[in-house]
Amino acid sequence: MTSELDIFVGNTTLIDEDVYRLWLDGYSVGDAVALRVRSGILEQTGATAAVLQSDTMDHYRTFHMLERLLHAPPKLLHQLIYQIPPSRQALLIERYYAFDEAFVREVLGKKLSKGTKKDLDDISTKTGITLKSCRRQFDNFKRVFKVVEEMRGSLVDNVQQHFLLSDRLARDYAAIVFFANNRFETGKKKLQYLSFGDFAFCAELMIQNWTLGAVGEAPTDPDSQVDDMDMDLDKEFLQDLKELKVLVADKDLLDLHKSLVCTALRGKLGVFSEMEANFKNLSRGLVNVATKLTHNKDVRDLFVDLVEKFVEPCRSDHWPLSDVRLFLNQYSASVHSLDGFRHQALWDRYMGTLRGCLLRLYHD
């Protein structure tokens, strides 16, 4: 009795990028084989269907064994079992932690808990992303959050150091972690026009300017139990923002602020008459957003409030983005000419970030 045995001996672990993508996308071996057949690989290589099936299964086994190492990327670099060139290791890690825009928009700002994980079936149906891929992406978000949530220092640097991601992907994960920690509302209907990139841009501005890490307020006592420097908004800063209320509560200051802005923008703004008529409402909206940020619910509703109080009124008056930029620049700068106002640094820290966010949120 004779038996045939196919043997392949090699040292370098072979990684087929196309099969890796199919595995990451959550396809079964059978579905992956069917998609590979449809791509014309049998005609291109002269392989048989049986060989293609065996090849796909072999790759899937390899990826399954590598997955536990991908959960802690430095382990992949330091292990000796799989001989994988550094460039391939980087590719495996980067693609494993990549995510779909449609998926992240569904979970952005939500608590990364079992409750949210129960919604993955519905998210899979809504987005067309396989449930397996949704679970991988959700578990990646949760894993990164758990690792970096107790760490001091730069959130982006911590993500990069522990997960070996590219700078861009590390910044995206920092935004996801920041939003999950502060529970910003992103799912309301009026926010659906905004992309993940819009929110990530705003997250980066807030991390740079509104957190404890932004001003280097690390505790002098090493045993002090201070919250994560880049994860949490600076509560003292949020409390101080109540001082800005005078800009709209004091009629003389409000009138002077309006006069300064109107004088500077007369003849330069296409929607000048609309701006002049609506100045006080817009100013009250922007200042009131600041003064309410001491409450967790108002922090969560930050983007809802910005859209309702500024974006929608300007959009209804057909402001072009160029006019929004001119107005916000002058609105922010004119405060420095208000003699009775004594919180210039606080104003700059608030409006510097808010101006950038509003320009990103405003799609004319």
Side-chain angles (χ1 to χ4, degrees), residues 32 57 66 94 129 150 160 164 194 222 242 254 306 318 352:
M57 288 180 65
L66 287 172
E94 191 78 1
I129 300 167
E150 301 295 339
Q160 278 188 304
L164 310 180
L194 296 170
K242 289 186 175 183
L254 180 58
L306 292 179
H318 308 291

Side-chain angles (χ1 to χ4, degrees), residues 312-330:
E312 288 179 345
C314 292
R315 193 185 285 153
S316 69
D317 282 339
H318 308 291
W319 289 40
L321 180 60
S322 56
D323 279 5
V324 174
R325 181 177 288 106
L326 277 173
F327 170 75
L328 287 173
N329 288 345
Q330 195 57 49

Side-chain angles (χ1 to χ4, degrees), residues 34-59:
L35 288 168
R36 295 185 78 190
V37 169
R38 206 173 302 157
S39 72
I41 192 170
L42 295 183
E43 292 79 9
Q44 295 164 16
T45 62
T48 65
V51 168
L52 186 65
Q53 173 87 11
S54 177
D55 177 71
T56 305
M57 288 180 65
D58 185 53
H59 279 298

